[in-house]
Amino acid sequence: MSYVASQDRYDSTPIRRSGRSGLQLPALSLGLWQNFGSDRDPAVQRATVLDAFDSGVFHFDLANNYGPLAGQAEITLGRILREDLAAHRDEIVLSTKAGWDMQPGPFGSGGSRKYLVESLDRSLGRLGVERVDVFYHHRPDPGTPASETARALDFVVRSGRAHYVGISSYSAAASREMARLLRDLGTPLAIHQPSYSMMNRWVETDGLLDVAADEGFGVIGFSPLAQGMLTDKYLAGIPEGSRAADGGSFTTKALTPVVVERLRGLADIAARRGQSLAQLAISWALRDERMTSLVAGASSAEQFTENLGAVSHTSFTAEELAEIDAFAVDAGIDLWEAPRMGGPLPPYTARGRDPLAQTPVLG
Ligand SMILES: NC(=O)c1ccc[n+]([C@@H]2O[C@H](COP(=O)([O-])OP(=O)(O)OC[C@H]3O[C@@H](n4cnc5c(N)ncnc54)[C@H](OP(=O)(O)O)[C@@H]3O)[C@@H](O)[C@H]2O)c1
């Protein structure tokens, strides 16, 4: 059936400005890391994207390697853009990234100018667009000078391949350095994408939000539901078909009895606020206005609709916050810590391109 966008799509979801840039984002954005590969139902993928757009979610987050297979999520969204959303391209914020493993060889990963620019050209081809709105360096690469990565990001804007640039999983100190390099080149850093949830609070202690406010870039937290941990689905076991049951990026080892008790404590607080646990997690992660947006995933349109119900309920009493703090404790689930701490890039693995692979590439 041909799609007609809802007329009141901008009426309900709040919009926040990314730092001191012109970029504005819906408070909740849709991420296509998982659930948009060739292993999922295209009708569900289409409904999830179009329902989100109808609700004012005009930002879709991708990376070169999202799939499976690597690249497939960009192909999926490219098809939906072409078939359903062509009339709205100018309203939509498309983001993609390069930095994690895409292909074997020295230019299939990292932060070199060659990898970043060649990869973005491939992403544009898969998406079927002339430019993206935000292009990110997906993780720090200690093997490439930050000045080279900065010049590559500056080039993609000057050459018209992207309107804005961002970085992901950089520490506060490395972010400040990248913001300075980019400012000197005349292309401001618009946004940073760190992992952030009730079970992974490093941005609060590392000082990233303070650096962001100081340097003028926005912050969009990814995996605000801790890959689904912060929902009602794991309170009584591991349901079939869930991400944890798939044995990929979300290991069931993270669901220790202590963690499940904390999740139950949080679910009780959510119930008292008239929210689901997922909604509490989203509301809480948006409580600081310096958090421009959150990028959440969904395996169905219904999940995303439920999560969107949280974006206008972001105020908490001091008592609620204190009670949440007792349960919102780091659960050792930050898969992105090693590169942030300056660790070397691990050797390339062919997981992303192997049709038989079960394990999704890191997002
Ligand atoms: N920059 C980076 O390095 C990086 C890394 C990772 C992710 N990201 C971005 O962040 C996005 C989100 O990551 P994520 O998928 O890990 O985020 P998430 O929002 O923490 O988890 C999404 C998963 O939670 C479950 N879920 C969502 N809503 C639910 C609900 N209402 N009830 C029950 N279950 C629910 C679904 O799991 P089931 O599939 O089990 O139903 C869904 O796939 C990615 O798509 C990507 O765009 C970026």
Side-chain angles (χ1 to χ4, degrees), residues 234-271:
Y234 299 113
L235 297 178
I238 297 170
E240 216 177 295
S242 62
R243 194 182 295 187
D246 284 352
S249 60
F250 180 179
T251 165
T252 53
K253 286 193 200 125
L255 291 164
T256 62
V258 173
V259 167
V260 173
E261 264 322 293
R262 288 183 184 142
L263 295 174
R264 292 199 182 115
L266 291 168
D268 286 346
I269 300 170

PDB file of all heavy atoms in Angstrom, residues 234-271:
ATOM      1  N   TYR A 234      13.116  -9.596  30.252  1.00  0.00           N
ATOM      2  CA  TYR A 234      14.035 -10.541  30.913  1.00  0.00           C
ATOM      3  C   TYR A 234      13.778 -10.672  32.417  1.00  0.00           C
ATOM      4  O   TYR A 234      14.596 -11.215  33.141  1.00  0.00           O
ATOM      5  CB  TYR A 234      15.489 -10.113  30.668  1.00  0.00           C
ATOM      6  CG  TYR A 234      15.854 -10.107  29.198  1.00  0.00           C
ATOM      7  CD1 TYR A 234      16.134  -8.918  28.524  1.00  0.00           C
ATOM      8  CD2 TYR A 234      15.917 -11.293  28.461  1.00  0.00           C
ATOM      9  CE1 TYR A 234      16.453  -8.907  27.175  1.00  0.00           C
ATOM     10  CE2 TYR A 234      16.231 -11.292  27.102  1.00  0.00           C
ATOM     11  CZ  TYR A 234      16.498 -10.094  26.478  1.00  0.00           C
ATOM     12  OH  TYR A 234      16.809 -10.098  25.133  1.00  0.00           O
ATOM     13  N   LEU A 235      12.624 -10.166  32.885  1.00  0.00           N
ATOM     14  CA  LEU A 235      12.359 -10.207  34.335  1.00  0.00           C
ATOM     15  C   LEU A 235      12.052 -11.620  34.807  1.00  0.00           C
ATOM     16  O   LEU A 235      12.188 -11.931  35.986  1.00  0.00           O
ATOM     17  CB  LEU A 235      11.187  -9.264  34.682  1.00  0.00           C
ATOM     18  CG  LEU A 235      11.444  -7.779  34.403  1.00  0.00           C
ATOM     19  CD1 LEU A 235      10.217  -6.943  34.727  1.00  0.00           C
ATOM     20  CD2 LEU A 235      12.664  -7.281  35.183  1.00  0.00           C
ATOM     21  N   ALA A 236      11.641 -12.470  33.880  1.00  0.00           N
ATOM     22  CA  ALA A 236      11.297 -13.845  34.294  1.00  0.00           C
ATOM     23  C   ALA A 236      11.862 -14.847  33.287  1.00  0.00           C
ATOM     24  O   ALA A 236      11.154 -15.678  32.744  1.00  0.00           O
ATOM     25  CB  ALA A 236       9.780 -13.968  34.386  1.00  0.00           C
ATOM     26  N   GLY A 237      13.154 -14.715  32.992  1.00  0.00           N
ATOM     27  CA  GLY A 237      13.782 -15.665  32.071  1.00  0.00           C
ATOM     28  C   GLY A 237      14.155 -15.027  30.748  1.00  0.00           C
ATOM     29  O   GLY A 237      14.095 -13.803  30.605  1.00  0.00           O
ATOM     30  N   ILE A 238      14.527 -15.893  29.802  1.00  0.00           N
ATOM     31  CA  ILE A 238      15.026 -15.394  28.515  1.00  0.00           C
ATOM     32  C   ILE A 238      14.090 -15.868  27.409  1.00  0.00           C
ATOM     33  O   ILE A 238      14.119 -17.038  27.002  1.00  0.00           O
ATOM     34  CB  ILE A 238      16.467 -15.878  28.281  1.00  0.00           C
ATOM     35  CG1 ILE A 238      17.355 -15.291  29.376  1.00  0.00           C
ATOM     36  CG2 ILE A 238      16.977 -15.468  26.896  1.00  0.00           C
ATOM     37  CD1 ILE A 238      18.734 -15.824  29.443  1.00  0.00           C
ATOM     38  N   PRO A 239      13.212 -14.993  26.916  1.00  0.00           N
ATOM     39  CA  PRO A 239      12.231 -15.442  25.918  1.00  0.00           C
ATOM     40  C   PRO A 239      12.866 -15.825  24.586  1.00  0.00           C
ATOM     41  O   PRO A 239      13.856 -15.214  24.176  1.00  0.00           O
ATOM     42  CB  PRO A 239      11.297 -14.239  25.761  1.00  0.00           C
ATOM     43  CG  PRO A 239      11.926 -13.102  26.457  1.00  0.00           C
ATOM     44  CD  PRO A 239      13.068 -13.581  27.274  1.00  0.00           C
ATOM     45  N   GLU A 240      12.279 -16.799  23.940  1.00  0.00           N
ATOM     46  CA  GLU A 240      12.737 -17.233  22.620  1.00  0.00           C
ATOM     47  C   GLU A 240      12.637 -16.062  21.639  1.00  0.00           C
ATOM     48  O   GLU A 240      11.692 -15.267  21.724  1.00  0.00           O
ATOM     49  CB  GLU A 240      11.811 -18.345  22.125  1.00  0.00           C
ATOM     50  CG  GLU A 240      12.520 -19.425  21.337  1.00  0.00           C
ATOM     51  CD  GLU A 240      11.544 -20.519  20.964  1.00  0.00           C
ATOM     52  OE1 GLU A 240      11.035 -21.186  21.912  1.00  0.00           O
ATOM     53  OE2 GLU A 240      11.286 -20.676  19.764  1.00  0.00           O
ATOM     54  N   GLY A 241      13.604 -15.967  20.744  1.00  0.00           N
ATOM     55  CA  GLY A 241      13.553 -14.922  19.724  1.00  0.00           C
ATOM     56  C   GLY A 241      14.092 -13.585  20.208  1.00  0.00           C
ATOM     57  O   GLY A 241      14.206 -12.646  19.425  1.00  0.00           O
ATOM     58  N   SER A 242      14.417 -13.473  21.497  1.00  0.00           N
ATOM     59  CA  SER A 242      14.964 -12.206  21.999  1.00  0.00           C
ATOM     60  C   SER A 242      16.439 -12.116  21.621  1.00  0.00           C
ATOM     61  O   SER A 242      17.073 -13.121  21.281  1.00  0.00           O
ATOM     62  CB  SER A 242      14.812 -12.138  23.517  1.00  0.00           C
ATOM     63  OG  SER A 242      15.548 -13.184  24.114  1.00  0.00           O
ATOM     64  N   ARG A 243      16.992 -10.901  21.736  1.00  0.00           N
ATOM     65  CA  ARG A 243      18.389 -10.719  21.374  1.00  0.00           C
ATOM     66  C   ARG A 243      19.309 -11.550  22.264  1.00  0.00           C
ATOM     67  O   ARG A 243      20.294 -12.121  21.794  1.00  0.00           O
ATOM     68  CB  ARG A 243      18.776  -9.233  21.442  1.00  0.00           C
ATOM     69  CG  ARG A 243      20.099  -8.967  20.763  1.00  0.00           C
ATOM     70  CD  ARG A 243      20.531  -7.520  20.843  1.00  0.00           C
ATOM     71  NE  ARG A 243      19.658  -6.612  20.136  1.00  0.00           N
ATOM     72  CZ  ARG A 243      19.914  -5.311  19.959  1.00  0.00           C
ATOM     73  NH1 ARG A 243      21.045  -4.799  20.419  1.00  0.00           N
ATOM     74  NH2 ARG A 243      19.058  -4.522  19.331  1.00  0.00           N
ATOM     75  N   ALA A 244      18.970 -11.650  23.550  1.00  0.00           N
ATOM     76  CA  ALA A 244      19.815 -12.440  24.446  1.00  0.00           C
ATOM     77  C   ALA A 244      19.785 -13.915  24.048  1.00  0.00           C
ATOM     78  O   ALA A 244      20.803 -14.607  24.128  1.00  0.00           O
ATOM     79  CB  ALA A 244      19.357 -12.264  25.892  1.00  0.00           C
ATOM     80  N   ALA A 245      18.617 -14.395  23.597  1.00  0.00           N
ATOM     81  CA  ALA A 245      18.503 -15.809  23.201  1.00  0.00           C
ATOM     82  C   ALA A 245      19.291 -16.086  21.932  1.00  0.00           C
ATOM     83  O   ALA A 245      19.725 -17.215  21.695  1.00  0.00           O
ATOM     84  CB  ALA A 245      17.033 -16.174  22.997  1.00  0.00           C
ATOM     85  N   ASP A 246      19.501 -15.066  21.113  1.00  0.00           N
ATOM     86  CA  ASP A 246      20.220 -15.239  19.845  1.00  0.00           C
ATOM     87  C   ASP A 246      21.708 -15.503  20.043  1.00  0.00           C
ATOM     88  O   ASP A 246      22.392 -15.952  19.124  1.00  0.00           O
ATOM     89  CB  ASP A 246      20.080 -13.984  18.961  1.00  0.00           C
ATOM     90  CG  ASP A 246      18.700 -13.919  18.333  1.00  0.00           C
ATOM     91  OD1 ASP A 246      17.958 -14.900  18.471  1.00  0.00           O
ATOM     92  OD2 ASP A 246      18.379 -12.868  17.736  1.00  0.00           O
ATOM     93  N   GLY A 247      22.227 -15.179  21.222  1.00  0.00           N
ATOM     94  CA  GLY A 247      23.636 -15.458  21.507  1.00  0.00           C
ATOM     95  C   GLY A 247      24.594 -14.577  20.715  1.00  0.00           C
ATOM     96  O   GLY A 247      25.708 -14.994  20.407  1.00  0.00           O
ATOM     97  N   GLY A 248      24.192 -13.369  20.365  1.00  0.00           N
ATOM     98  CA  GLY A 248      25.061 -12.452  19.618  1.00  0.00           C
ATOM     99  C   GLY A 248      25.728 -11.451  20.526  1.00  0.00           C
ATOM    100  O   GLY A 248      26.441 -11.808  21.469  1.00  0.00           O
ATOM    101  N   SER A 249      25.447 -10.173  20.282  1.00  0.00           N
ATOM    102  CA  SER A 249      26.135  -9.100  21.003  1.00  0.00           C
ATOM    103  C   SER A 249      25.701  -8.996  22.469  1.00  0.00           C
ATOM    104  O   SER A 249      26.375  -8.370  23.271  1.00  0.00           O
ATOM    105  CB  SER A 249      25.850  -7.765  20.307  1.00  0.00           C
ATOM    106  OG  SER A 249      24.445  -7.532  20.305  1.00  0.00           O
ATOM    107  N   PHE A 250      24.570  -9.581  22.805  1.00  0.00           N
ATOM    108  CA  PHE A 250      24.040  -9.495  24.174  1.00  0.00           C
ATOM    109  C   PHE A 250      24.178 -10.877  24.816  1.00  0.00           C
ATOM    110  O   PHE A 250      23.430 -11.791  24.510  1.00  0.00           O
ATOM    111  CB  PHE A 250      22.576  -9.063  24.093  1.00  0.00           C
ATOM    112  CG  PHE A 250      21.858  -8.925  25.431  1.00  0.00           C
ATOM    113  CD1 PHE A 250      20.539  -8.512  25.447  1.00  0.00           C
ATOM    114  CD2 PHE A 250      22.471  -9.192  26.636  1.00  0.00           C
ATOM    115  CE1 PHE A 250      19.844  -8.379  26.646  1.00  0.00           C
ATOM    116  CE2 PHE A 250      21.799  -9.063  27.842  1.00  0.00           C
ATOM    117  CZ  PHE A 250      20.478  -8.657  27.841  1.00  0.00           C
ATOM    118  N   THR A 251      25.176 -11.010  25.683  1.00  0.00           N
ATOM    119  CA  THR A 251      25.394 -12.314  26.296  1.00  0.00           C
ATOM    120  C   THR A 251      24.477 -12.504  27.510  1.00  0.00           C
ATOM    121  O   THR A 251      24.313 -11.594  28.328  1.00  0.00           O
ATOM    122  CB  THR A 251      26.866 -12.517  26.694  1.00  0.00           C
ATOM    123  OG1 THR A 251      26.948 -13.625  27.583  1.00  0.00           O
ATOM    124  CG2 THR A 251      27.458 -11.295  27.371  1.00  0.00           C
ATOM    125  N   THR A 252      23.923 -13.709  27.613  1.00  0.00           N
ATOM    126  CA  THR A 252      23.040 -14.010  28.749  1.00  0.00           C
ATOM    127  C   THR A 252      23.817 -13.978  30.068  1.00  0.00           C
ATOM    128  O   THR A 252      23.222 -13.854  31.134  1.00  0.00           O
ATOM    129  CB  THR A 252      22.393 -15.396  28.591  1.00  0.00           C
ATOM    130  OG1 THR A 252      23.438 -16.344  28.366  1.00  0.00           O
ATOM    131  CG2 THR A 252      21.428 -15.422  27.441  1.00  0.00           C
ATOM    132  N   LYS A 253      25.168 -14.058  29.964  1.00  0.00           N
ATOM    133  CA  LYS A 253      25.989 -14.006  31.187  1.00  0.00           C
ATOM    134  C   LYS A 253      25.764 -12.690  31.937  1.00  0.00           C
ATOM    135  O   LYS A 253      25.981 -12.601  33.138  1.00  0.00           O
ATOM    136  CB  LYS A 253      27.479 -14.122  30.824  1.00  0.00           C
ATOM    137  CG  LYS A 253      27.908 -15.516  30.426  1.00  0.00           C
ATOM    138  CD  LYS A 253      29.428 -15.601  30.394  1.00  0.00           C
ATOM    139  CE  LYS A 253      29.866 -16.792  29.557  1.00  0.00           C
ATOM    140  NZ  LYS A 253      30.784 -16.435  28.481  1.00  0.00           N
ATOM    141  N   ALA A 254      25.349 -11.660  31.195  1.00  0.00           N
ATOM    142  CA  ALA A 254      25.121 -10.355  31.841  1.00  0.00           C
ATOM    143  C   ALA A 254      23.900 -10.398  32.753  1.00  0.00           C
ATOM    144  O   ALA A 254      23.765  -9.575  33.657  1.00  0.00           O
ATOM    145  CB  ALA A 254      24.943  -9.282  30.780  1.00  0.00           C
ATOM    146  N   LEU A 255      23.004 -11.358  32.528  1.00  0.00           N
ATOM    147  CA  LEU A 255      21.751 -11.416  33.307  1.00  0.00           C
ATOM    148  C   LEU A 255      21.951 -12.246  34.576  1.00  0.00           C
ATOM    149  O   LEU A 255      21.313 -13.285  34.775  1.00  0.00           O
ATOM    150  CB  LEU A 255      20.625 -11.978  32.440  1.00  0.00           C
ATOM    151  CG  LEU A 255      20.167 -11.055  31.293  1.00  0.00           C
ATOM    152  CD1 LEU A 255      19.358 -11.838  30.269  1.00  0.00           C
ATOM    153  CD2 LEU A 255      19.355  -9.885  31.845  1.00  0.00           C
ATOM    154  N   THR A 256      22.825 -11.788  35.439  1.00  0.00           N
ATOM    155  CA  THR A 256      23.084 -12.493  36.700  1.00  0.00           C
ATOM    156  C   THR A 256      21.882 -12.297  37.632  1.00  0.00           C
ATOM    157  O   THR A 256      21.100 -11.351  37.456  1.00  0.00           O
ATOM    158  CB  THR A 256      24.338 -11.925  37.390  1.00  0.00           C
ATOM    159  OG1 THR A 256      24.071 -10.556  37.693  1.00  0.00           O
ATOM    160  CG2 THR A 256      25.566 -12.021  36.500  1.00  0.00           C
ATOM    161  N   PRO A 257      21.738 -13.144  38.652  1.00  0.00           N
ATOM    162  CA  PRO A 257      20.636 -12.954  39.610  1.00  0.00           C
ATOM    163  C   PRO A 257      20.646 -11.553  40.227  1.00  0.00           C
ATOM    164  O   PRO A 257      19.581 -10.951  40.418  1.00  0.00           O
ATOM    165  CB  PRO A 257      20.888 -14.034  40.668  1.00  0.00           C
ATOM    166  CG  PRO A 257      21.678 -15.097  39.949  1.00  0.00           C
ATOM    167  CD  PRO A 257      22.503 -14.379  38.915  1.00  0.00           C
ATOM    168  N   VAL A 258      21.836 -11.009  40.505  1.00  0.00           N
ATOM    169  CA  VAL A 258      21.908  -9.666  41.100  1.00  0.00           C
ATOM    170  C   VAL A 258      21.364  -8.629  40.119  1.00  0.00           C
ATOM    171  O   VAL A 258      20.576  -7.734  40.496  1.00  0.00           O
ATOM    172  CB  VAL A 258      23.377  -9.318  41.480  1.00  0.00           C
ATOM    173  CG1 VAL A 258      23.496  -7.874  41.928  1.00  0.00           C
ATOM    174  CG2 VAL A 258      23.885 -10.260  42.556  1.00  0.00           C
ATOM    175  N   VAL A 259      21.751  -8.760  38.857  1.00  0.00           N
ATOM    176  CA  VAL A 259      21.277  -7.791  37.848  1.00  0.00           C
ATOM    177  C   VAL A 259      19.764  -7.910  37.686  1.00  0.00           C
ATOM    178  O   VAL A 259      19.052  -6.896  37.633  1.00  0.00           O
ATOM    179  CB  VAL A 259      22.025  -8.008  36.503  1.00  0.00           C
ATOM    180  CG1 VAL A 259      21.337  -7.256  35.368  1.00  0.00           C
ATOM    181  CG2 VAL A 259      23.475  -7.546  36.631  1.00  0.00           C
ATOM    182  N   VAL A 260      19.247  -9.130  37.633  1.00  0.00           N
ATOM    183  CA  VAL A 260      17.791  -9.302  37.452  1.00  0.00           C
ATOM    184  C   VAL A 260      17.040  -8.708  38.652  1.00  0.00           C
ATOM    185  O   VAL A 260      15.991  -8.069  38.484  1.00  0.00           O
ATOM    186  CB  VAL A 260      17.439 -10.791  37.216  1.00  0.00           C
ATOM    187  CG1 VAL A 260      15.931 -10.989  37.195  1.00  0.00           C
ATOM    188  CG2 VAL A 260      18.051 -11.278  35.908  1.00  0.00           C
ATOM    189  N   GLU A 261      17.597  -8.844  39.855  1.00  0.00           N
ATOM    190  CA  GLU A 261      16.964  -8.214  41.039  1.00  0.00           C
ATOM    191  C   GLU A 261      16.910  -6.697  40.867  1.00  0.00           C
ATOM    192  O   GLU A 261      15.904  -6.050  41.198  1.00  0.00           O
ATOM    193  CB  GLU A 261      17.756  -8.545  42.309  1.00  0.00           C
ATOM    194  CG  GLU A 261      17.219  -9.730  43.095  1.00  0.00           C
ATOM    195  CD  GLU A 261      15.690  -9.798  43.124  1.00  0.00           C
ATOM    196  OE1 GLU A 261      15.071  -8.914  43.730  1.00  0.00           O
ATOM    197  OE2 GLU A 261      15.112 -10.735  42.520  1.00  0.00           O
ATOM    198  N   ARG A 262      18.010  -6.134  40.342  1.00  0.00           N
ATOM    199  CA  ARG A 262      18.026  -4.670  40.127  1.00  0.00           C
ATOM    200  C   ARG A 262      16.983  -4.276  39.077  1.00  0.00           C
ATOM    201  O   ARG A 262      16.303  -3.253  39.226  1.00  0.00           O
ATOM    202  CB  ARG A 262      19.418  -4.224  39.670  1.00  0.00           C
ATOM    203  CG  ARG A 262      20.440  -4.295  40.789  1.00  0.00           C
ATOM    204  CD  ARG A 262      21.798  -3.783  40.337  1.00  0.00           C
ATOM    205  NE  ARG A 262      22.760  -3.961  41.413  1.00  0.00           N
ATOM    206  CZ  ARG A 262      24.023  -4.323  41.252  1.00  0.00           C
ATOM    207  NH1 ARG A 262      24.516  -4.535  40.043  1.00  0.00           N
ATOM    208  NH2 ARG A 262      24.819  -4.462  42.294  1.00  0.00           N
ATOM    209  N   LEU A 263      16.873  -5.091  38.045  1.00  0.00           N
ATOM    210  CA  LEU A 263      15.875  -4.789  37.002  1.00  0.00           C
ATOM    211  C   LEU A 263      14.471  -4.817  37.607  1.00  0.00           C
ATOM    212  O   LEU A 263      13.624  -3.973  37.279  1.00  0.00           O
ATOM    213  CB  LEU A 263      15.971  -5.797  35.845  1.00  0.00           C
ATOM    214  CG  LEU A 263      17.281  -5.773  35.029  1.00  0.00           C
ATOM    215  CD1 LEU A 263      17.304  -6.918  34.011  1.00  0.00           C
ATOM    216  CD2 LEU A 263      17.450  -4.431  34.320  1.00  0.00           C
ATOM    217  N   ARG A 264      14.243  -5.764  38.497  1.00  0.00           N
ATOM    218  CA  ARG A 264      12.909  -5.835  39.147  1.00  0.00           C
ATOM    219  C   ARG A 264      12.674  -4.599  39.998  1.00  0.00           C
ATOM    220  O   ARG A 264      11.563  -4.041  40.035  1.00  0.00           O
ATOM    221  CB  ARG A 264      12.806  -7.099  40.001  1.00  0.00           C
ATOM    222  CG  ARG A 264      12.791  -8.358  39.143  1.00  0.00           C
ATOM    223  CD  ARG A 264      12.225  -9.570  39.900  1.00  0.00           C
ATOM    224  NE  ARG A 264      12.286 -10.746  39.045  1.00  0.00           N
ATOM    225  CZ  ARG A 264      13.039 -11.831  39.263  1.00  0.00           C
ATOM    226  NH1 ARG A 264      13.793 -11.902  40.350  1.00  0.00           N
ATOM    227  NH2 ARG A 264      13.031 -12.834  38.418  1.00  0.00           N
ATOM    228  N   GLY A 265      13.717  -4.145  40.690  1.00  0.00           N
ATOM    229  CA  GLY A 265      13.593  -2.922  41.491  1.00  0.00           C
ATOM    230  C   GLY A 265      13.233  -1.734  40.609  1.00  0.00           C
ATOM    231  O   GLY A 265      12.363  -0.914  40.952  1.00  0.00           O
ATOM    232  N   LEU A 266      13.883  -1.650  39.464  1.00  0.00           N
ATOM    233  CA  LEU A 266      13.596  -0.552  38.531  1.00  0.00           C
ATOM    234  C   LEU A 266      12.189  -0.681  37.954  1.00  0.00           C
ATOM    235  O   LEU A 266      11.481   0.317  37.766  1.00  0.00           O
ATOM    236  CB  LEU A 266      14.644  -0.525  37.402  1.00  0.00           C
ATOM    237  CG  LEU A 266      16.059  -0.113  37.849  1.00  0.00           C
ATOM    238  CD1 LEU A 266      17.083  -0.395  36.749  1.00  0.00           C
ATOM    239  CD2 LEU A 266      16.100   1.377  38.238  1.00  0.00           C
ATOM    240  N   ALA A 267      11.777  -1.929  37.685  1.00  0.00           N
ATOM    241  CA  ALA A 267      10.424  -2.142  37.130  1.00  0.00           C
ATOM    242  C   ALA A 267       9.367  -1.697  38.137  1.00  0.00           C
ATOM    243  O   ALA A 267       8.321  -1.155  37.751  1.00  0.00           O
ATOM    244  CB  ALA A 267      10.241  -3.612  36.755  1.00  0.00           C
ATOM    245  N   ASP A 268       9.633  -1.875  39.436  1.00  0.00           N
ATOM    246  CA  ASP A 268       8.680  -1.418  40.464  1.00  0.00           C
ATOM    247  C   ASP A 268       8.556   0.113  40.437  1.00  0.00           C
ATOM    248  O   ASP A 268       7.453   0.654  40.523  1.00  0.00           O
ATOM    249  CB  ASP A 268       9.160  -1.837  41.867  1.00  0.00           C
ATOM    250  CG  ASP A 268       8.950  -3.328  42.101  1.00  0.00           C
ATOM    251  OD1 ASP A 268       8.210  -3.945  41.308  1.00  0.00           O
ATOM    252  OD2 ASP A 268       9.563  -3.872  43.053  1.00  0.00           O
ATOM    253  N   ILE A 269       9.707   0.775  40.317  1.00  0.00           N
ATOM    254  CA  ILE A 269       9.683   2.249  40.260  1.00  0.00           C
ATOM    255  C   ILE A 269       8.916   2.690  39.017  1.00  0.00           C
ATOM    256  O   ILE A 269       8.086   3.609  39.059  1.00  0.00           O
ATOM    257  CB  ILE A 269      11.122   2.821  40.237  1.00  0.00           C
ATOM    258  CG1 ILE A 269      11.876   2.398  41.506  1.00  0.00           C
ATOM    259  CG2 ILE A 269      11.102   4.342  40.080  1.00  0.00           C
ATOM    260  CD1 ILE A 269      13.368   2.696  41.476  1.00  0.00           C
ATOM    261  N   ALA A 270       9.180   2.003  37.895  1.00  0.00           N
ATOM    262  CA  ALA A 270       8.490   2.338  36.638  1.00  0.00           C
ATOM    263  C   ALA A 270       6.982   2.221  36.827  1.00  0.00           C
ATOM    264  O   ALA A 270       6.222   3.127  36.447  1.00  0.00           O
ATOM    265  CB  ALA A 270       8.969   1.407  35.521  1.00  0.00           C
ATOM    266  N   ALA A 271       6.551   1.117  37.455  1.00  0.00           N
ATOM    267  CA  ALA A 271       5.106   0.880  37.625  1.00  0.00           C
ATOM    268  C   ALA A 271       4.477   2.004  38.439  1.00  0.00           C
ATOM    269  O   ALA A 271       3.375   2.467  38.132  1.00  0.00           O
ATOM    270  CB  ALA A 271       4.878  -0.472  38.289  1.00  0.00           C
TER     271      ALA A 271
END
